[in-house]
């Protein structure tokens, strides 16, 4: 009795309590009506199929199948033929093949467009970095050239020394007031 009274005082009962939901754990998988598939795996499969459909090997295989189909249904015994002259079943099979091939090819093209878009974006960013680096290096070279204009070069120092030597030689030849003459 006491437990019922304690439960009633807190406002919860054993019957009305729902299971506690843990937020730190993933939910358990629910049953789904539609099958679950990996879009990347399906995309890779569609690219492989589209790549095969675009080859000469596929054209040759398809041509051989159609020739064997037609020849079988013309020359085989009557009880073994499965598609008589207007070849309605062959037309149906080719339409079915085309109805699956077209979306697979489009899916493969869309995936290729996405990859191309990403590559173009990466190329654009790389070009922007290259341009920025080139502009930086150009500014640095210009700064170095300006700095070299203010730096004493070997030729300039030589010319200054030669000018000083000439000046000293001229002073020795024509001494203005020398102390040696007074002695």
């Amino acid at each position: 009795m006491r437990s019922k009274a304690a439960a009633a005082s807190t406002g919860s009962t054993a019957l009305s309590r729902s299971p506690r939901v843990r937020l730190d754990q993933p939910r358990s998988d629910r049953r789904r009506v539609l099958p679950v598939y990996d879009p990347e795996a399906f995309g890779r499969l569609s690219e492989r199929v589209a790549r095969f459909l675009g080859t000469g090997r596929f054209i040759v295989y398809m041509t051989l199948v159609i020739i064997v189909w037609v020849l079988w249904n013309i020359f085989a015994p009557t009880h073994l033929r499965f598609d008589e002259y207007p070849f309605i079943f062959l037309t149906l099979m080719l339409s079915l093949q085309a109805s699956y091939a077209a979306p697979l090819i489009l899916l493969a093209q869309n995936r290729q467009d996405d990859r191309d878009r990403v590559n173009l974006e990466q190329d654009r960013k790389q070009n922007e970095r290259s341009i920025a680096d080139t502009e930086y290096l150009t500014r640095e070279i210009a700064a170095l050239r300006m700095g070299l204009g203010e730096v004493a070069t070997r030729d300039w120092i030589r010319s200054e020394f030669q000018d000083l030597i000439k000046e000293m030689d001229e002073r020795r030849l024509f001494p203005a007031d020398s102390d040696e003459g007074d002695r």
Side-chain angles (χ1 to χ4, degrees):
M1 285 293 245
R2 282 188 184 178
S3 63
K4 285 186 179 180
S9 68
T10 60
S12 66
T13 63
L15 297 175
S16 67
R17 182 179 290 178
S18 62
R20 186 172 180 182
V21 177
R22 300 270 321 246
L23 297 177
D24 62 336
Q25 296 177 351
R27 290 183 176 176
S28 60
D29 289 337
R30 295 182 181 183
R31 299 188 85 175
R32 298 178 186 237
V33 175
L34 297 175
V36 178
Y37 69 97
D38 181 17
E40 281 299 310
F42 189 73
R44 285 190 300 270
L45 175 68
S46 69
E47 286 177 345
R48 287 177 39 207
V49 169
R51 215 172 285 126
F52 175 69
L53 291 177
T55 62
R57 182 185 308 164
F58 172 74
I59 303 265
V60 169
Y61 289 163
M62 196 64 164
T63 304
L64 289 175
V65 166
I66 291 171
I67 289 172
V68 168
W69 185 297
V70 169
L71 291 177
W72 178 266
N73 286 299
I74 290 174
F75 297 115
T78 307
H79 68 281
L80 293 178
R81 293 181 192 171
F82 55 90
D83 193 15
E84 293 296 324
Y85 166 65
F87 305 119
I88 303 293
F89 190 54
L90 175 62
T91 305
L92 176 69
M93 297 313 310
L94 291 175
S95 296
L96 183 66
Q97 183 266 332
S99 68
Y100 275 97
L104 288 175
I105 291 170
L106 288 174
L107 180 61
Q109 286 177 344
N110 289 341
R111 286 174 53 89
Q112 185 62 44
D113 287 344
D114 292 342
R115 278 194 300 272
D116 291 345
R117 192 175 305 112
V118 168
N119 287 338
L120 286 174
E121 182 65 23
Q122 289 174 348
D123 289 346
R124 187 186 62 76
K125 287 180 182 178
Q126 179 63 37
N127 287 341
E128 287 176 358
R129 284 191 298 264
S130 296
I131 289 171
D133 290 345
T134 303
E135 289 174 353
Y136 171 76
L137 290 174
T138 303
R139 286 191 301 273
E140 288 295 313
I141 289 172
L144 286 173
R145 284 184 178 167
M146 289 172 51
L148 279 177
E150 299 169 4
V151 172
T153 61
R154 185 177 5 162
D155 294 337
W156 181 78
I157 293 174
R158 278 188 187 150
S159 69
E160 289 295 314
F161 277 142
Q162 288 173 356
D163 291 344
L164 284 173
I165 291 171
K166 280 183 189 177
E167 188 178 324
M168 289 172 58
D169 284 343
E170 288 175 0
R171 284 187 184 175
R172 284 189 196 152
L173 291 176
F174 305 109
D177 296 319
S178 72
D179 293 335
E180 292 179 9
D182 292 339
R183 284 190 192 173

